[in-house]
Amino acid sequence: MWKGFYRGVARSYLKKPDQAELLAIKFPSVESIARAAANEFAYQVRHPRSHRLTSVNLELTNKCNLRCSMCPVNQDMVRPKGFMDPALFLKILDENPQLEFILAFQWGEPLMHPQFFELVAEARQRGVRVMITTNGTYLNKTKRTQLLQSDLERITFSVDGVGDVHTRIRGYEYDRLKKDILAFKDERDRSGRRTPYIDVSMVVFEETESYVEAFKEEWTHLVDRVQTIPKFVSGPRVSPCRELWRGTSVVLWDGRVTICCRDSEGSSVVGDANRERLTDIWNGEKMQEIRRSHATKNFGGLCRTCSEFESSTVSPRFS
């Protein structure tokens, strides 16, 4: 029943049939579906307030050990690099008990945080689901064991294309990454665990567009889920963005809260989690002002030039 529900919403309402699985991941219960529907209603009527904050992206670090060609982190990012203070991480969890899940990732490689596993454990002890996105370069035997025992719900590995194209884009050997991901999945399966669910995700842009089908064919029967997402590009925005209402806040490593995951430089900050509660920021005056500007299509700042790589092989995320 529920699979059909998510497929129907993705296909008929969102017009994005490839996002059915993502909806199931983010909204696994009747209660979470109801909260999402209330946020969606606020978006549809362009209300300056969203119904409720339901999740948060926590940037554990914006440091990374790779230099991917399409990522700003080690290309042209100018904001300071650092690690989120564990005290701030815990403050956010304790002040926002309504959070349904956190994505412990934004820009950078989360497994580089020296207290990564301790932070995951703290979140799980509070009943918050934890997901991460990682480049997969830390999958040695010790880390695989720690990840299996960490009670993470989902791990998404970034895999851009297949074979040499991934190696060229990320500077990390594709065959090694694939071998390590499959070893990790094999250990999970042999342990009898269902989680962490294992996804692979590819960024679609000029260099990878022609590899979408090969990527899906290669991974569909090897992992739990295969995802493709369009690359952020600069271009005129033409429609209001759901992200402002959807229920997800974004906290950078130093505590600054920004409007969405596109903001790699922290140029559109709307609050500071060191001093404010996320729920207050979420429907604070700055967020309301930005929602009003989207309602009238008077896009300013980062939003004015926020667009995505257009391709028939992938659905847009932020439209």
PDB file of all heavy atoms in Angstrom, residues 10-47:
ATOM      1  N   ALA A  10       4.826  10.857  -6.038  1.00  0.00           N
ATOM      2  CA  ALA A  10       5.985  11.258  -6.832  1.00  0.00           C
ATOM      3  C   ALA A  10       5.613  11.451  -8.301  1.00  0.00           C
ATOM      4  O   ALA A  10       6.025  12.429  -8.936  1.00  0.00           O
ATOM      5  CB  ALA A  10       7.091  10.218  -6.700  1.00  0.00           C
ATOM      6  N   ARG A  11       4.805  10.542  -8.819  1.00  0.00           N
ATOM      7  CA  ARG A  11       4.479  10.590 -10.255  1.00  0.00           C
ATOM      8  C   ARG A  11       3.396  11.622 -10.562  1.00  0.00           C
ATOM      9  O   ARG A  11       3.570  12.458 -11.461  1.00  0.00           O
ATOM     10  CB  ARG A  11       4.020   9.209 -10.723  1.00  0.00           C
ATOM     11  CG  ARG A  11       3.697   9.142 -12.217  1.00  0.00           C
ATOM     12  CD  ARG A  11       3.110   7.804 -12.618  1.00  0.00           C
ATOM     13  NE  ARG A  11       4.015   6.714 -12.304  1.00  0.00           N
ATOM     14  CZ  ARG A  11       3.791   5.806 -11.350  1.00  0.00           C
ATOM     15  NH1 ARG A  11       2.695   5.878 -10.614  1.00  0.00           N
ATOM     16  NH2 ARG A  11       4.651   4.840 -11.133  1.00  0.00           N
ATOM     17  N   SER A  12       2.311  11.579  -9.824  1.00  0.00           N
ATOM     18  CA  SER A  12       1.151  12.389 -10.188  1.00  0.00           C
ATOM     19  C   SER A  12       1.173  13.792  -9.597  1.00  0.00           C
ATOM     20  O   SER A  12       0.704  14.740 -10.234  1.00  0.00           O
ATOM     21  CB  SER A  12      -0.138  11.672  -9.746  1.00  0.00           C
ATOM     22  OG  SER A  12      -0.222  10.392 -10.332  1.00  0.00           O
ATOM     23  N   TYR A  13       1.709  13.921  -8.395  1.00  0.00           N
ATOM     24  CA  TYR A  13       1.691  15.229  -7.748  1.00  0.00           C
ATOM     25  C   TYR A  13       2.983  16.005  -7.988  1.00  0.00           C
ATOM     26  O   TYR A  13       2.959  17.139  -8.476  1.00  0.00           O
ATOM     27  CB  TYR A  13       1.450  15.078  -6.247  1.00  0.00           C
ATOM     28  CG  TYR A  13       1.400  16.402  -5.510  1.00  0.00           C
ATOM     29  CD1 TYR A  13       0.321  17.250  -5.670  1.00  0.00           C
ATOM     30  CD2 TYR A  13       2.444  16.785  -4.680  1.00  0.00           C
ATOM     31  CE1 TYR A  13       0.279  18.476  -5.011  1.00  0.00           C
ATOM     32  CE2 TYR A  13       2.409  18.002  -4.012  1.00  0.00           C
ATOM     33  CZ  TYR A  13       1.328  18.842  -4.187  1.00  0.00           C
ATOM     34  OH  TYR A  13       1.295  20.056  -3.541  1.00  0.00           O
ATOM     35  N   LEU A  14       4.123  15.395  -7.666  1.00  0.00           N
ATOM     36  CA  LEU A  14       5.393  16.091  -7.828  1.00  0.00           C
ATOM     37  C   LEU A  14       5.897  16.070  -9.270  1.00  0.00           C
ATOM     38  O   LEU A  14       6.761  16.876  -9.629  1.00  0.00           O
ATOM     39  CB  LEU A  14       6.452  15.468  -6.913  1.00  0.00           C
ATOM     40  CG  LEU A  14       6.212  15.585  -5.403  1.00  0.00           C
ATOM     41  CD1 LEU A  14       7.312  14.851  -4.648  1.00  0.00           C
ATOM     42  CD2 LEU A  14       6.154  17.052  -4.980  1.00  0.00           C
ATOM     43  N   LYS A  15       5.381  15.136 -10.076  1.00  0.00           N
ATOM     44  CA  LYS A  15       5.843  14.951 -11.456  1.00  0.00           C
ATOM     45  C   LYS A  15       7.322  14.553 -11.486  1.00  0.00           C
ATOM     46  O   LYS A  15       8.060  14.886 -12.414  1.00  0.00           O
ATOM     47  CB  LYS A  15       5.639  16.224 -12.298  1.00  0.00           C
ATOM     48  CG  LYS A  15       4.259  16.844 -12.207  1.00  0.00           C
ATOM     49  CD  LYS A  15       3.167  15.893 -12.674  1.00  0.00           C
ATOM     50  CE  LYS A  15       1.802  16.567 -12.610  1.00  0.00           C
ATOM     51  NZ  LYS A  15       0.706  15.610 -12.949  1.00  0.00           N
ATOM     52  N   LYS A  16       7.741  13.824 -10.454  1.00  0.00           N
ATOM     53  CA  LYS A  16       9.125  13.363 -10.341  1.00  0.00           C
ATOM     54  C   LYS A  16       9.106  11.897  -9.905  1.00  0.00           C
ATOM     55  O   LYS A  16       9.344  11.573  -8.739  1.00  0.00           O
ATOM     56  CB  LYS A  16       9.893  14.202  -9.324  1.00  0.00           C
ATOM     57  CG  LYS A  16       9.921  15.699  -9.645  1.00  0.00           C
ATOM     58  CD  LYS A  16      10.570  16.482  -8.520  1.00  0.00           C
ATOM     59  CE  LYS A  16      10.537  17.976  -8.799  1.00  0.00           C
ATOM     60  NZ  LYS A  16      11.165  18.767  -7.705  1.00  0.00           N
ATOM     61  N   PRO A  17       8.806  10.983 -10.818  1.00  0.00           N
ATOM     62  CA  PRO A  17       8.629   9.579 -10.436  1.00  0.00           C
ATOM     63  C   PRO A  17       9.854   8.935  -9.806  1.00  0.00           C
ATOM     64  O   PRO A  17       9.727   7.997  -9.024  1.00  0.00           O
ATOM     65  CB  PRO A  17       8.280   8.898 -11.767  1.00  0.00           C
ATOM     66  CG  PRO A  17       8.720   9.852 -12.827  1.00  0.00           C
ATOM     67  CD  PRO A  17       8.562  11.209 -12.251  1.00  0.00           C
ATOM     68  N   ASP A  18      11.047   9.471 -10.093  1.00  0.00           N
ATOM     69  CA  ASP A  18      12.258   8.880  -9.533  1.00  0.00           C
ATOM     70  C   ASP A  18      12.479   9.255  -8.071  1.00  0.00           C
ATOM     71  O   ASP A  18      13.444   8.798  -7.448  1.00  0.00           O
ATOM     72  CB  ASP A  18      13.485   9.271 -10.358  1.00  0.00           C
ATOM     73  CG  ASP A  18      13.653  10.779 -10.519  1.00  0.00           C
ATOM     74  OD1 ASP A  18      12.718  11.519 -10.166  1.00  0.00           O
ATOM     75  OD2 ASP A  18      14.713  11.210 -10.999  1.00  0.00           O
ATOM     76  N   GLN A  19      11.577  10.058  -7.485  1.00  0.00           N
ATOM     77  CA  GLN A  19      11.746  10.451  -6.093  1.00  0.00           C
ATOM     78  C   GLN A  19      10.839   9.689  -5.124  1.00  0.00           C
ATOM     79  O   GLN A  19      10.755  10.024  -3.941  1.00  0.00           O
ATOM     80  CB  GLN A  19      11.521  11.960  -5.943  1.00  0.00           C
ATOM     81  CG  GLN A  19      12.602  12.776  -6.628  1.00  0.00           C
ATOM     82  CD  GLN A  19      12.606  14.229  -6.222  1.00  0.00           C
ATOM     83  OE1 GLN A  19      11.878  14.637  -5.328  1.00  0.00           O
ATOM     84  NE2 GLN A  19      13.440  15.018  -6.868  1.00  0.00           N
ATOM     85  N   ALA A  20      10.186   8.642  -5.613  1.00  0.00           N
ATOM     86  CA  ALA A  20       9.287   7.866  -4.759  1.00  0.00           C
ATOM     87  C   ALA A  20      10.030   7.251  -3.577  1.00  0.00           C
ATOM     88  O   ALA A  20       9.565   7.304  -2.431  1.00  0.00           O
ATOM     89  CB  ALA A  20       8.592   6.780  -5.575  1.00  0.00           C
ATOM     90  N   GLU A  21      11.196   6.665  -3.836  1.00  0.00           N
ATOM     91  CA  GLU A  21      11.965   6.049  -2.758  1.00  0.00           C
ATOM     92  C   GLU A  21      12.431   7.090  -1.743  1.00  0.00           C
ATOM     93  O   GLU A  21      12.454   6.840  -0.537  1.00  0.00           O
ATOM     94  CB  GLU A  21      13.174   5.302  -3.322  1.00  0.00           C
ATOM     95  CG  GLU A  21      12.852   3.960  -3.939  1.00  0.00           C
ATOM     96  CD  GLU A  21      14.113   3.241  -4.363  1.00  0.00           C
ATOM     97  OE1 GLU A  21      14.719   3.655  -5.375  1.00  0.00           O
ATOM     98  OE2 GLU A  21      14.498   2.274  -3.679  1.00  0.00           O
ATOM     99  N   LEU A  22      12.802   8.265  -2.234  1.00  0.00           N
ATOM    100  CA  LEU A  22      13.255   9.323  -1.334  1.00  0.00           C
ATOM    101  C   LEU A  22      12.126   9.751  -0.401  1.00  0.00           C
ATOM    102  O   LEU A  22      12.351  10.003   0.793  1.00  0.00           O
ATOM    103  CB  LEU A  22      13.754  10.510  -2.147  1.00  0.00           C
ATOM    104  CG  LEU A  22      14.350  11.676  -1.348  1.00  0.00           C
ATOM    105  CD1 LEU A  22      15.568  11.209  -0.558  1.00  0.00           C
ATOM    106  CD2 LEU A  22      14.723  12.817  -2.285  1.00  0.00           C
ATOM    107  N   LEU A  23      10.915   9.839  -0.911  1.00  0.00           N
ATOM    108  CA  LEU A  23       9.770  10.185  -0.068  1.00  0.00           C
ATOM    109  C   LEU A  23       9.566   9.139   1.021  1.00  0.00           C
ATOM    110  O   LEU A  23       9.290   9.470   2.180  1.00  0.00           O
ATOM    111  CB  LEU A  23       8.506  10.296  -0.919  1.00  0.00           C
ATOM    112  CG  LEU A  23       8.446  11.437  -1.942  1.00  0.00           C
ATOM    113  CD1 LEU A  23       7.155  11.347  -2.749  1.00  0.00           C
ATOM    114  CD2 LEU A  23       8.559  12.792  -1.265  1.00  0.00           C
ATOM    115  N   ALA A  24       9.713   7.873   0.665  1.00  0.00           N
ATOM    116  CA  ALA A  24       9.538   6.796   1.635  1.00  0.00           C
ATOM    117  C   ALA A  24      10.587   6.865   2.735  1.00  0.00           C
ATOM    118  O   ALA A  24      10.312   6.557   3.902  1.00  0.00           O
ATOM    119  CB  ALA A  24       9.600   5.443   0.925  1.00  0.00           C
ATOM    120  N   ILE A  25      11.797   7.269   2.368  1.00  0.00           N
ATOM    121  CA  ILE A  25      12.877   7.387   3.347  1.00  0.00           C
ATOM    122  C   ILE A  25      12.610   8.534   4.316  1.00  0.00           C
ATOM    123  O   ILE A  25      12.757   8.389   5.528  1.00  0.00           O
ATOM    124  CB  ILE A  25      14.217   7.616   2.619  1.00  0.00           C
ATOM    125  CG1 ILE A  25      14.632   6.360   1.849  1.00  0.00           C
ATOM    126  CG2 ILE A  25      15.311   8.024   3.597  1.00  0.00           C
ATOM    127  CD1 ILE A  25      15.743   6.604   0.847  1.00  0.00           C
ATOM    128  N   LYS A  26      12.213   9.661   3.797  1.00  0.00           N
ATOM    129  CA  LYS A  26      12.051  10.849   4.626  1.00  0.00           C
ATOM    130  C   LYS A  26      10.764  10.839   5.444  1.00  0.00           C
ATOM    131  O   LYS A  26      10.706  11.429   6.532  1.00  0.00           O
ATOM    132  CB  LYS A  26      12.094  12.103   3.752  1.00  0.00           C
ATOM    133  CG  LYS A  26      13.478  12.361   3.158  1.00  0.00           C
ATOM    134  CD  LYS A  26      13.515  13.667   2.401  1.00  0.00           C
ATOM    135  CE  LYS A  26      14.928  14.006   1.940  1.00  0.00           C
ATOM    136  NZ  LYS A  26      15.014  15.292   1.242  1.00  0.00           N
ATOM    137  N   PHE A  27       9.733  10.170   4.933  1.00  0.00           N
ATOM    138  CA  PHE A  27       8.429  10.216   5.597  1.00  0.00           C
ATOM    139  C   PHE A  27       7.890   8.790   5.780  1.00  0.00           C
ATOM    140  O   PHE A  27       6.973   8.366   5.073  1.00  0.00           O
ATOM    141  CB  PHE A  27       7.456  11.065   4.778  1.00  0.00           C
ATOM    142  CG  PHE A  27       8.039  12.374   4.315  1.00  0.00           C
ATOM    143  CD1 PHE A  27       8.236  12.635   2.969  1.00  0.00           C
ATOM    144  CD2 PHE A  27       8.421  13.335   5.232  1.00  0.00           C
ATOM    145  CE1 PHE A  27       8.792  13.834   2.542  1.00  0.00           C
ATOM    146  CE2 PHE A  27       8.978  14.536   4.824  1.00  0.00           C
ATOM    147  CZ  PHE A  27       9.162  14.788   3.474  1.00  0.00           C
ATOM    148  N   PRO A  28       8.443   8.048   6.753  1.00  0.00           N
ATOM    149  CA  PRO A  28       8.108   6.629   6.893  1.00  0.00           C
ATOM    150  C   PRO A  28       6.848   6.330   7.712  1.00  0.00           C
ATOM    151  O   PRO A  28       6.457   5.171   7.822  1.00  0.00           O
ATOM    152  CB  PRO A  28       9.348   6.071   7.596  1.00  0.00           C
ATOM    153  CG  PRO A  28       9.821   7.203   8.455  1.00  0.00           C
ATOM    154  CD  PRO A  28       9.534   8.451   7.663  1.00  0.00           C
ATOM    155  N   SER A  29       6.228   7.346   8.298  1.00  0.00           N
ATOM    156  CA  SER A  29       5.074   7.103   9.161  1.00  0.00           C
ATOM    157  C   SER A  29       3.924   8.026   8.790  1.00  0.00           C
ATOM    158  O   SER A  29       4.105   9.033   8.091  1.00  0.00           O
ATOM    159  CB  SER A  29       5.457   7.338  10.627  1.00  0.00           C
ATOM    160  OG  SER A  29       5.748   8.714  10.843  1.00  0.00           O
ATOM    161  N   VAL A  30       2.750   7.676   9.286  1.00  0.00           N
ATOM    162  CA  VAL A  30       1.573   8.514   9.033  1.00  0.00           C
ATOM    163  C   VAL A  30       1.792   9.918   9.602  1.00  0.00           C
ATOM    164  O   VAL A  30       1.437  10.924   8.983  1.00  0.00           O
ATOM    165  CB  VAL A  30       0.319   7.871   9.653  1.00  0.00           C
ATOM    166  CG1 VAL A  30      -0.872   8.821   9.551  1.00  0.00           C
ATOM    167  CG2 VAL A  30       0.002   6.550   8.971  1.00  0.00           C
ATOM    168  N   GLU A  31       2.409   9.979  10.801  1.00  0.00           N
ATOM    169  CA  GLU A  31       2.650  11.272  11.439  1.00  0.00           C
ATOM    170  C   GLU A  31       3.593  12.135  10.616  1.00  0.00           C
ATOM    171  O   GLU A  31       3.377  13.335  10.435  1.00  0.00           O
ATOM    172  CB  GLU A  31       3.229  11.060  12.839  1.00  0.00           C
ATOM    173  CG  GLU A  31       2.283  10.433  13.831  1.00  0.00           C
ATOM    174  CD  GLU A  31       2.163   8.927  13.666  1.00  0.00           C
ATOM    175  OE1 GLU A  31       2.962   8.344  12.908  1.00  0.00           O
ATOM    176  OE2 GLU A  31       1.268   8.331  14.286  1.00  0.00           O
ATOM    177  N   SER A  32       4.674  11.522  10.094  1.00  0.00           N
ATOM    178  CA  SER A  32       5.635  12.288   9.298  1.00  0.00           C
ATOM    179  C   SER A  32       5.027  12.727   7.972  1.00  0.00           C
ATOM    180  O   SER A  32       5.315  13.819   7.477  1.00  0.00           O
ATOM    181  CB  SER A  32       6.916  11.477   9.063  1.00  0.00           C
ATOM    182  OG  SER A  32       6.660  10.304   8.318  1.00  0.00           O
ATOM    183  N   ILE A  33       4.175  11.896   7.414  1.00  0.00           N
ATOM    184  CA  ILE A  33       3.477  12.264   6.176  1.00  0.00           C
ATOM    185  C   ILE A  33       2.559  13.462   6.434  1.00  0.00           C
ATOM    186  O   ILE A  33       2.484  14.403   5.634  1.00  0.00           O
ATOM    187  CB  ILE A  33       2.672  11.074   5.626  1.00  0.00           C
ATOM    188  CG1 ILE A  33       3.623   9.985   5.114  1.00  0.00           C
ATOM    189  CG2 ILE A  33       1.734  11.532   4.500  1.00  0.00           C
ATOM    190  CD1 ILE A  33       2.917   8.696   4.754  1.00  0.00           C
ATOM    191  N   ALA A  34       1.867  13.443   7.576  1.00  0.00           N
ATOM    192  CA  ALA A  34       0.958  14.545   7.913  1.00  0.00           C
ATOM    193  C   ALA A  34       1.726  15.851   8.075  1.00  0.00           C
ATOM    194  O   ALA A  34       1.283  16.912   7.610  1.00  0.00           O
ATOM    195  CB  ALA A  34       0.187  14.212   9.180  1.00  0.00           C
ATOM    196  N   ARG A  35       2.883  15.785   8.738  1.00  0.00           N
ATOM    197  CA  ARG A  35       3.682  17.005   8.918  1.00  0.00           C
ATOM    198  C   ARG A  35       4.204  17.513   7.579  1.00  0.00           C
ATOM    199  O   ARG A  35       4.230  18.719   7.323  1.00  0.00           O
ATOM    200  CB  ARG A  35       4.818  16.730   9.904  1.00  0.00           C
ATOM    201  CG  ARG A  35       4.339  16.583  11.334  1.00  0.00           C
ATOM    202  CD  ARG A  35       5.486  16.490  12.305  1.00  0.00           C
ATOM    203  NE  ARG A  35       6.115  15.188  12.294  1.00  0.00           N
ATOM    204  CZ  ARG A  35       5.766  14.178  13.106  1.00  0.00           C
ATOM    205  NH1 ARG A  35       4.783  14.334  13.966  1.00  0.00           N
ATOM    206  NH2 ARG A  35       6.404  13.025  13.058  1.00  0.00           N
ATOM    207  N   ALA A  36       4.636  16.589   6.725  1.00  0.00           N
ATOM    208  CA  ALA A  36       5.117  16.978   5.397  1.00  0.00           C
ATOM    209  C   ALA A  36       3.986  17.609   4.581  1.00  0.00           C
ATOM    210  O   ALA A  36       4.195  18.578   3.842  1.00  0.00           O
ATOM    211  CB  ALA A  36       5.692  15.770   4.666  1.00  0.00           C
ATOM    212  N   ALA A  37       2.788  17.049   4.716  1.00  0.00           N
ATOM    213  CA  ALA A  37       1.644  17.590   3.974  1.00  0.00           C
ATOM    214  C   ALA A  37       1.316  19.007   4.448  1.00  0.00           C
ATOM    215  O   ALA A  37       0.970  19.884   3.636  1.00  0.00           O
ATOM    216  CB  ALA A  37       0.430  16.679   4.155  1.00  0.00           C
ATOM    217  N   ALA A  38       1.450  19.244   5.746  1.00  0.00           N
ATOM    218  CA  ALA A  38       1.189  20.586   6.274  1.00  0.00           C
ATOM    219  C   ALA A  38       2.226  21.581   5.761  1.00  0.00           C
ATOM    220  O   ALA A  38       1.890  22.724   5.406  1.00  0.00           O
ATOM    221  CB  ALA A  38       1.198  20.556   7.805  1.00  0.00           C
ATOM    222  N   ASN A  39       3.489  21.162   5.695  1.00  0.00           N
ATOM    223  CA  ASN A  39       4.525  22.018   5.122  1.00  0.00           C
ATOM    224  C   ASN A  39       4.260  22.279   3.642  1.00  0.00           C
ATOM    225  O   ASN A  39       4.440  23.396   3.153  1.00  0.00           O
ATOM    226  CB  ASN A  39       5.899  21.379   5.299  1.00  0.00           C
ATOM    227  CG  ASN A  39       6.431  21.502   6.710  1.00  0.00           C
ATOM    228  OD1 ASN A  39       5.956  22.320   7.493  1.00  0.00           O
ATOM    229  ND2 ASN A  39       7.421  20.691   7.040  1.00  0.00           N
ATOM    230  N   GLU A  40       3.820  21.241   2.937  1.00  0.00           N
ATOM    231  CA  GLU A  40       3.540  21.386   1.510  1.00  0.00           C
ATOM    232  C   GLU A  40       2.363  22.337   1.291  1.00  0.00           C
ATOM    233  O   GLU A  40       2.371  23.148   0.347  1.00  0.00           O
ATOM    234  CB  GLU A  40       3.238  20.020   0.894  1.00  0.00           C
ATOM    235  CG  GLU A  40       2.808  20.044  -0.560  1.00  0.00           C
ATOM    236  CD  GLU A  40       3.894  20.511  -1.524  1.00  0.00           C
ATOM    237  OE1 GLU A  40       5.070  20.610  -1.115  1.00  0.00           O
ATOM    238  OE2 GLU A  40       3.571  20.775  -2.701  1.00  0.00           O
ATOM    239  N   PHE A  41       1.370  22.265   2.147  1.00  0.00           N
ATOM    240  CA  PHE A  41       0.237  23.181   2.030  1.00  0.00           C
ATOM    241  C   PHE A  41       0.700  24.621   2.197  1.00  0.00           C
ATOM    242  O   PHE A  41       0.275  25.518   1.455  1.00  0.00           O
ATOM    243  CB  PHE A  41      -0.842  22.843   3.069  1.00  0.00           C
ATOM    244  CG  PHE A  41      -2.007  23.782   3.048  1.00  0.00           C
ATOM    245  CD1 PHE A  41      -2.970  23.694   2.059  1.00  0.00           C
ATOM    246  CD2 PHE A  41      -2.144  24.776   4.018  1.00  0.00           C
ATOM    247  CE1 PHE A  41      -4.054  24.566   2.023  1.00  0.00           C
ATOM    248  CE2 PHE A  41      -3.216  25.651   3.994  1.00  0.00           C
ATOM    249  CZ  PHE A  41      -4.167  25.543   2.999  1.00  0.00           C
ATOM    250  N   ALA A  42       1.585  24.858   3.178  1.00  0.00           N
ATOM    251  CA  ALA A  42       2.113  26.211   3.387  1.00  0.00           C
ATOM    252  C   ALA A  42       2.850  26.694   2.144  1.00  0.00           C
ATOM    253  O   ALA A  42       2.765  27.876   1.773  1.00  0.00           O
ATOM    254  CB  ALA A  42       3.046  26.229   4.594  1.00  0.00           C
ATOM    255  N   TYR A  43       3.576  25.785   1.488  1.00  0.00           N
ATOM    256  CA  TYR A  43       4.266  26.140   0.241  1.00  0.00           C
ATOM    257  C   TYR A  43       3.257  26.491  -0.856  1.00  0.00           C
ATOM    258  O   TYR A  43       3.420  27.487  -1.566  1.00  0.00           O
ATOM    259  CB  TYR A  43       5.154  24.977  -0.199  1.00  0.00           C
ATOM    260  CG  TYR A  43       5.585  25.036  -1.637  1.00  0.00           C
ATOM    261  CD1 TYR A  43       6.539  25.966  -2.067  1.00  0.00           C
ATOM    262  CD2 TYR A  43       5.039  24.168  -2.580  1.00  0.00           C
ATOM    263  CE1 TYR A  43       6.931  26.020  -3.398  1.00  0.00           C
ATOM    264  CE2 TYR A  43       5.427  24.223  -3.904  1.00  0.00           C
ATOM    265  CZ  TYR A  43       6.379  25.149  -4.313  1.00  0.00           C
ATOM    266  OH  TYR A  43       6.752  25.200  -5.636  1.00  0.00           O
ATOM    267  N   GLN A  44       2.243  25.666  -0.993  1.00  0.00           N
ATOM    268  CA  GLN A  44       1.279  25.873  -2.075  1.00  0.00           C
ATOM    269  C   GLN A  44       0.528  27.189  -1.931  1.00  0.00           C
ATOM    270  O   GLN A  44       0.225  27.854  -2.925  1.00  0.00           O
ATOM    271  CB  GLN A  44       0.285  24.703  -2.123  1.00  0.00           C
ATOM    272  CG  GLN A  44       0.890  23.404  -2.616  1.00  0.00           C
ATOM    273  CD  GLN A  44       1.356  23.473  -4.060  1.00  0.00           C
ATOM    274  OE1 GLN A  44       0.975  24.362  -4.823  1.00  0.00           O
ATOM    275  NE2 GLN A  44       2.199  22.532  -4.451  1.00  0.00           N
ATOM    276  N   VAL A  45       0.233  27.603  -0.694  1.00  0.00           N
ATOM    277  CA  VAL A  45      -0.480  28.871  -0.495  1.00  0.00           C
ATOM    278  C   VAL A  45       0.496  30.024  -0.305  1.00  0.00           C
ATOM    279  O   VAL A  45       0.081  31.177  -0.124  1.00  0.00           O
ATOM    280  CB  VAL A  45      -1.447  28.790   0.707  1.00  0.00           C
ATOM    281  CG1 VAL A  45      -2.488  27.695   0.477  1.00  0.00           C
ATOM    282  CG2 VAL A  45      -0.703  28.574   2.020  1.00  0.00           C
ATOM    283  N   ARG A  46       1.807  29.697  -0.332  1.00  0.00           N
ATOM    284  CA  ARG A  46       2.879  30.697  -0.213  1.00  0.00           C
ATOM    285  C   ARG A  46       2.770  31.471   1.110  1.00  0.00           C
ATOM    286  O   ARG A  46       2.951  32.684   1.157  1.00  0.00           O
ATOM    287  CB  ARG A  46       2.872  31.666  -1.396  1.00  0.00           C
ATOM    288  CG  ARG A  46       2.936  31.003  -2.773  1.00  0.00           C
ATOM    289  CD  ARG A  46       4.218  30.224  -2.989  1.00  0.00           C
ATOM    290  NE  ARG A  46       4.383  29.869  -4.388  1.00  0.00           N
ATOM    291  CZ  ARG A  46       4.118  28.661  -4.910  1.00  0.00           C
ATOM    292  NH1 ARG A  46       3.671  27.689  -4.114  1.00  0.00           N
ATOM    293  NH2 ARG A  46       4.308  28.418  -6.193  1.00  0.00           N
ATOM    294  N   HIS A  47       2.485  30.735   2.173  1.00  0.00           N
ATOM    295  CA  HIS A  47       2.415  31.376   3.485  1.00  0.00           C
ATOM    296  C   HIS A  47       3.828  31.715   3.952  1.00  0.00           C
ATOM    297  O   HIS A  47       4.760  30.942   3.720  1.00  0.00           O
ATOM    298  CB  HIS A  47       1.742  30.444   4.491  1.00  0.00           C
ATOM    299  CG  HIS A  47       1.243  31.128   5.708  1.00  0.00           C
ATOM    300  ND1 HIS A  47       2.075  31.507   6.754  1.00  0.00           N
ATOM    301  CD2 HIS A  47      -0.011  31.528   6.067  1.00  0.00           C
ATOM    302  CE1 HIS A  47       1.359  32.093   7.691  1.00  0.00           C
ATOM    303  NE2 HIS A  47       0.092  32.125   7.308  1.00  0.00           N
TER     304      HIS A  47
END
